[in-house]
Amino acid sequence: MKKKYALIGTGGRAQFFYGSLVRDYGETSQLVAFCDTNQTRMDYANKLLVENYGYKAIPTYKADEFEKMIQVEKPDTIIVTTMDRTHHTYIIKAMELGCDVITEKPMTVDEEKCQDIIDAVNNTGQKLRVAFNYRYAPHNTKLRELIMNDTIGDVHSIHFEWLLNTEHGADYFRRWHRDKRNSGGMLVHKSTHHFDLINFWLDTQPQTVFAQGSLMFYGKENAEKRGVTQFYNRARGSEIAKNDPFALDLEKSEDLKGQYADAEHEDGYYRDQSVFGDGISIEDTLGLLVRYKNKAILTYSLNCYMPWEGFQVNINGSKGRIEMKIVEKSYVNSGGKKEDEGALQSKSIKVIPMFGEAYDAEIEEGVGGHGGGDPILLNDLFGVPEDDRYHRAASHVDGAMSILTGVAGNISMRTGMPVQVDQLIKF
């Protein structure tokens, strides 16, 4: 019997899940319904199902009919790809109604909602999976393998620098993510990937977190300091925006037009807001210091307006050092091919033994988004998972421990004090 799935939140990230489900896993899986706050967006998703995937149009339900959808369509699993601050609402309700859940990262945005989700898992016994595709990228898996194999001995410290460029990085400041209430800020929404990688690589959990961060580039005030005198609220219909390299043209992408430009009359959500406008409450420049339970120390940096996209991580151990550099292709959510998201321009892992010659670790070539990690993740979610010595499948515990580094960072920025992660929630 086919496993039945329903999806809530048909915006930019949704097609990654439902497209693969109907295209690659039709023998074992069935997509039975869409749910969203916006009917136009759901209609566009159905159009893609029919025209791009040769699937039938499926029933649609507005967000206030979520419970009705589950009662009528009887899905086994709910896929949650809504705005971050609403994840917990649908995760918890779905589990209470007897469904398992797959949620896009981050699992949620703060410690209270995280505790509510953990309580729901404990009370219902349902399964919750978090879609951490970066774990599955061959270069990240290789780093896990090197550490597991004692290549550099016990890991003592990590310096992790993530760069978001002026296309992808800017995109978080155009849309709902720019309001920290919606996304938890970049330490939660984006850095959850990176903190999860540290937990995954080192097989440990964060203990103490101290953070600093500010909005230093985006936003109207910063632009004024640099001498900008002309501003606009959104790119659509603005003459000023035509000369702004940061402006997003919703008409240039069929997906952006169908999901957002054509749908904004329903809910007033503008996908193309100015990154130099007012109302941005998230940071674009962040630094973090973390002590882990295995005593390793992380220094972490995130900057959202860099000339290239990717990351550099240096790991120091008792037997040597590993240096990894990954350069990713530029990407705007819904503004290009799905396989370009997280796709690589270059990658390298150098192993430097304490005594001996340095060498480049061999990394297998991956096909698909996030360096080849996406297809493996999707098979893990919808197909028949293979035995995995790296334990890449992420549970609700993994989802919690990744966001709690960022949540603790947000608390630290507010208070100016270090935060003990174990004091935030109870499993």
Side-chain angles (χ1 to χ4, degrees), residues 88 91-92 107-108 113-121 128:
H88 73 294
I91 291 170
I92 293 169
M107 190 171 79
T108 187
K113 296 180 179 67
C114 185
Q115 185 68 64
D116 289 343
I117 291 172
I118 291 167
D119 292 344
V121 172
L128 172 60

Side-chain angles (χ1 to χ4, degrees), residues 73-236:
E73 306 297 341
K74 296 180 171 53
D76 301 292
T77 302
I78 299 294
I79 302 169
V80 178
T81 51
T82 59
M83 186 184 296
D84 296 349
R85 69 169 170 81
T86 66
H87 284 184
H88 73 294
T89 300
Y90 301 114
I91 291 170
I92 293 169
K93 178 56 69 175
M95 291 194 294
E96 289 175 345
L97 294 174
C99 299
D100 291 334
V101 179
I102 297 168
T103 184
E104 180 56 279
K105 62 83 201 163
M107 190 171 79
T108 187
V109 297
D110 59 41
E111 68 274 28
E112 290 89 355
K113 296 180 179 67
C114 185
Q115 185 68 64
D116 289 343
I117 291 172
I118 291 167
D119 292 344
V121 172
N122 293 336
N123 293 336
T124 65
Q126 299 299 139
K127 294 180 180 178
L128 172 60
R129 294 280 302 274
V130 184
F132 283 122
N133 38 21
Y134 269 109
R135 286 181 170 215
Y136 295 81
H139 49 280
N140 292 329
T141 300
K142 184 66 178 183
L143 193 51
R144 163 83 164 145
E145 178 185 302
L146 290 168
I147 293 171
M148 285 174 62
N149 292 346
D150 201 41
T151 305
I152 58 168
D154 295 331
V155 173
H156 293 158
S157 66
I158 310 102
H159 179 68
F160 194 133
E161 180 184 23
W162 198 284
L163 296 83
L164 290 167
N165 68 7
T166 51
E167 185 174 9
H168 183 204
D171 206 37
Y172 297 103
F173 298 82
R174 298 185 184 109
R175 46 191 177 138
W176 56 259
H177 308 70
R178 73 206 310 248
D179 186 337
K180 199 166 187 175
R181 297 170 300 177
N182 292 333
S183 64
M186 298 301 282
L187 278 185
V188 172
H189 178 82
K190 184 62 182 176
S191 301
T192 185
H193 267 318
H194 317 152
F195 301 144
D196 179 67
L197 283 176
I198 299 293
N199 298 344
F200 169 64
W201 287 333
L202 273 57
D203 192 24
T204 188
Q205 295 177 343
Q207 179 175 295
T208 307
V209 177
F210 179 76
Q212 294 283 325
S214 300
L215 182 67
M216 301 182 75
F217 180 76
Y218 298 111
K220 189 172 184 180
E221 187 176 358
N222 290 319
E224 287 173 336
K225 288 177 182 177
R226 294 191 297 271
V228 176
T229 58
Q230 291 187 308
F231 295 91
Y232 60 94
N233 291 323
R234 60 171 308 196
R236 199 179 192 189

Side-chain angles (χ1 to χ4, degrees), residues 8 137 160 173 184 259 269 342:
I8 180 162
F160 194 133
F173 298 82
Q259 290 174 1
Y269 172 58

Side-chain angles (χ1 to χ4, degrees), residues 7 9-11 14-15 18 31 34-36 38-53 55-58 60 255 258-259:
L7 180 142
T10 55
Q15 192 181 162
Y18 72 72
L31 185 66
F34 285 134
C35 187
D36 201 298
N38 191 296
Q39 186 64 49
T40 304
R41 199 167 295 130
M42 288 191 286
D43 292 344
Y44 181 73
N46 259 330
K47 177 176 179 286
L48 294 180
L49 277 182
V50 174
E51 295 181 0
N52 291 5
Y53 298 100
Y55 202 75
K56 65 180 185 297
I58 58 177
T60 61
D255 280 346
Q259 290 174 1

Side-chain angles (χ1 to χ4, degrees), residues 187 210-213 285-289 300-302:
L187 278 185
F210 179 76
Q212 294 283 325
T285 308
L286 291 146
L288 201 92
L289 182 65
Y300 172 82
S301 171
L302 175 66

Side-chain angles (χ1 to χ4, degrees), residues 1-6 17-18 20-32 55-56 76-77 79 102 378-379 381-384:
M1 183 178 294
K2 292 184 178 182
K3 184 174 285 190
K4 296 164 69 174
Y5 294 84
F17 293 97
Y18 72 72
S20 177
L21 193 155
V22 301
R23 181 188 62 224
D24 303 322
Y25 300 99
E27 291 186 5
T28 57
S29 306
Q30 181 183 2
L31 185 66
V32 298
Y55 202 75
K56 65 180 185 297
D76 301 292
T77 302
I79 302 169
I102 297 168
L378 290 163
N379 180 68
L381 294 175
F382 303 129
V384 180

